[in-house]
Amino acid sequence: MNRRRSDLHTLAAAYALDALEPAEREAFTPHLAACDACRRETAEFRAAAARMAAAVAEAPPTAMRQRTMTAVDAVRQLPPRVAAGAPAPALRSLRRRAVPLALVAGLAAAVAFAGLTARQHQERDDIAHRARQAEQRLDAVSAVLATPDARTVHGRAANGALGTVIASDQLDKAVFAATGLPAPAAGQTYQLWLAHDGTMRPAGFIHGDGAVLMDGSPSGATAVGLTLEPAEGSAQPTTTPLLLMPLTT
């Protein structure tokens, strides 16, 4: 009889996961109403299941999954602690349901924690990567500005923004700086161009006030252009240039 009561208590996890057969649910439901320990156990399993759902996007490491699944068959589920003599109905088929669901729920919590940790590490790595990229861009811009042969050209765009190009033959690089550049409309971006032999070649993007290192070589370029293009950019200008600045020699 004591074993049967213990077996009945082990159904808390299966009940929380909606994994009981109809006869077992019928037997366990009135027991749950009278058993404080099973009510607490059920609530804990439901919380673990919610954490499992939140962790689905983060697959556990293969080695961890294999170790856990191997251990599942060797671990016996224990019932919740209840006061001695607590009443519980008997059910013959309950012993076959003594599956280690507590271990599965514990795995769910571990996977959720591992997923959160992985995301935190990934976010930290992403921030560090972006910081390194920003530092590299700043160094490249500063190098052009500091070269002895840097030459500067100014121009005003049709939308009122002030554009400045600083080019260095020594580094074969150019920087475009903007002041007062309005935000582009949704789905559009500002694209830079270098004119070579009458052909406008893509030279990167600028999204607002500031300075960017232009793509491509300014050597031999006759002008720098600025247009509004679709957000993904264009191979050739699709709008009238807002700014077209001749490069002096």
Side-chain angles (χ1 to χ4, degrees):
M1 188 69 176
N2 289 338
R3 178 179 295 276
R4 288 176 177 175
R5 279 202 295 269
S6 296
D7 285 344
L8 188 59
H9 290 307
T10 65
L11 293 186
Y15 180 85
L17 298 175
D18 197 25
L20 292 181
E21 294 179 0
E24 294 169 333
R25 176 175 289 276
E26 183 178 351
F28 183 75
T29 300
H31 167 74
L32 182 64
C35 181
D36 290 340
C38 281
R39 284 199 298 274
R40 289 193 301 270
E41 190 92 342
T42 299
E44 291 171 358
F45 277 117
R46 282 174 173 164
R51 292 194 296 271
M52 181 188 295
V56 167
E58 299 291 341
T62 301
M64 173 184 175
R65 179 182 177 84
Q66 290 174 345
R67 288 196 303 269
T68 302
M69 297 309 294
T70 300
V72 163
D73 292 334
V75 178
R76 177 179 177 273
Q77 180 187 354
L78 297 177
R81 295 180 181 178
V82 296
L91 191 63
R92 293 179 182 273
S93 64
L94 296 187
R95 289 190 62 187
R96 62 185 174 81
R97 295 296 268 174
V99 179
L101 290 174
L103 181 59
V104 175
L107 173 61
V111 170
F113 178 77
L116 176 60
T117 302
R119 285 194 295 272
Q120 289 174 337
H121 282 300
Q122 183 62 49
E123 289 171 359
R124 185 181 63 187
D125 291 344
D126 288 345
I127 291 172
H129 179 64
R130 289 195 297 270
R132 286 193 297 270
Q133 287 183 321
E135 185 177 5
Q136 290 169 355
R137 289 194 296 268
L138 179 59
D139 288 345
V141 169
S142 299
V144 174
L145 301 181
T147 54
D149 71 330
R151 62 185 190 276
T152 303
V153 181
H154 300 286
R156 189 165 294 276
N159 57 13
L162 177 65
T164 301
V165 175
I166 304 97
S168 167
D169 292 332
Q170 178 180 326
L171 297 179
D172 198 24
K173 295 289 183 182
V175 169
F176 183 88
T179 304
L181 192 63
Q188 291 187 311
T189 190
Y190 291 107
Q191 188 165 357
L192 296 165
W193 306 89
L194 284 168
H196 286 272
D197 300 323
T199 300
M200 300 296 284
R201 299 178 183 176
F205 303 92
I206 187 165
H207 305 292
D209 287 355
V212 295
L213 186 69
M214 298 179 66
D215 295 340
S217 168
S219 178
T222 57
V224 170
L226 177 71
T227 62
L228 268 174
E229 301 294 336
E232 66 275 10
S234 302
Q236 291 292 320
T238 63
T239 61
T240 302
L242 298 169
L243 179 65
L244 191 60
M245 294 187 296
L247 291 181
T248 58
T249 57

